[in-house]
Amino acid sequence: MRRRNKILIWIGIIFLLLIGAYYLILPRIIGEILSAEPRDPKLEISETNEIGWWSYQESLKVDSFQVEFVESKLNLFNSKSLIEYTVKGKLSTDGHWRPSIKKIHVSQRFLRRYDRDLHPYLDSDTTKIPEAIIEITPVIKVTNDDNYNGEEIEFEFTNELKLESFHWGNNWVRFQCADKQQDLILKQRK
């Protein structure tokens, strides 16, 4: 009888281990094999989607804005791409208030045909309007610094952003930072 109990206990333990492996380990292995989703984005400056106190935005001058794909393996099982954007520019204020970039405000929205009336940077031809726009805005803060005398401070940063397609086929997205813009097309295929 004891031997039979030991065998039943070992069968129960093995059964519980197999169930645990099935629910804990197997989904991770299969998920890694089937998923082509890009890694998490890297940020040099933290991002926000909240509007706050932006009283020093006149200190900002954007010289260049560049957007490019880091990873884009769009297919039937993956609708996400990883892009990076680089912003270069200058900051300056009067007096002893040293400007710096506090956060990056990211705004994403779909565009409708009548949006071209609201935004002069969009093409007047309605067939050339992007489907979505992502606006990147560096938020400026100032700190009191007696050593600062209003000289221009150059800045450059690169952040990454995970972006999801919104339908099959070509997804035309316009990226905007100050008066600079760049378009990307995400090609979602089956």
Side-chain angles (χ1 to χ4, degrees), residues 36-45 47 65-74 78-87 104-108 132-136 157-166 171-177 182-187:
E37 185 174 310
R39 62 175 167 73
D40 289 334
K42 296 177 183 176
L43 302 175
E44 286 183 19
I45 300 176
E47 294 178 342
F65 176 60
Q66 188 174 17
V67 183
E68 58 188 36
F69 288 106
V70 173
E71 185 178 334
S72 184
K73 299 175 187 171
L74 300 175
N78 179 40
S79 63
K80 295 181 180 173
S81 297
L82 187 65
I83 61 104
E84 72 176 13
Y85 58 90
T86 302
V87 180
I104 307 302
H105 183 263
V106 179
S107 170
Q108 301 182 20
I133 187 165
I134 298 177
E135 294 174 308
I136 310 291
F157 66 88
T158 300
N159 275 0
E160 294 178 342
L161 180 69
K162 197 180 281 190
L163 188 61
E164 188 166 0
S165 304
F166 21 94
N171 297 260
W172 184 5
V173 182
R174 175 157 292 168
F175 291 84
Q176 177 87 22
C177 183
Q182 186 176 340
D183 294 348
L184 284 183
I185 295 178
L186 303 169
K187 297 180 180 183

Side-chain angles (χ1 to χ4, degrees), residues 9-137:
I9 290 172
W10 279 107
I11 290 174
I13 290 171
I14 291 171
F15 182 71
L16 290 174
L17 288 173
L18 289 174
I19 289 175
Y22 178 76
Y23 283 106
L24 298 175
I25 299 170
L26 193 60
R28 289 184 185 168
I29 293 171
I30 291 175
E32 289 294 322
I33 293 170
L34 291 179
S35 175
E37 185 174 310
R39 62 175 167 73
D40 289 334
K42 296 177 183 176
L43 302 175
E44 286 183 19
I45 300 176
S46 64
E47 294 178 342
T48 184
N49 60 359
E50 296 177 5
I51 296 177
W53 190 264
W54 291 14
S55 59
Y56 299 98
Q57 291 307 107
E58 67 277 354
S59 303
L60 174 69
K61 180 179 184 282
V62 175
D63 294 329
S64 71
F65 176 60
Q66 188 174 17
V67 183
E68 58 188 36
F69 288 106
V70 173
E71 185 178 334
S72 184
K73 299 175 187 171
L74 300 175
N75 57 41
L76 183 62
F77 300 108
N78 179 40
S79 63
K80 295 181 180 173
S81 297
L82 187 65
I83 61 104
E84 72 176 13
Y85 58 90
T86 302
V87 180
K88 295 179 186 177
K90 297 176 184 75
L91 301 170
S92 67
T93 59
D94 295 331
H96 296 287
W97 295 96
R98 178 180 292 277
S100 61
I101 298 175
K102 178 180 179 182
K103 289 186 177 187
I104 307 302
H105 183 263
V106 179
S107 170
Q108 301 182 20
R109 64 186 173 87
F110 286 107
L111 293 171
R112 296 174 298 276
R113 295 215 180 263
Y114 64 86
D115 281 336
R116 76 179 192 290
D117 298 331
L118 302 173
H119 298 285
Y121 55 82
L122 293 176
D123 296 322
S124 60
D125 182 1
T126 57
T127 61
K128 294 182 179 179
I129 294 177
E131 299 171 88
I133 187 165
I134 298 177
E135 294 174 308
I136 310 291
T137 308

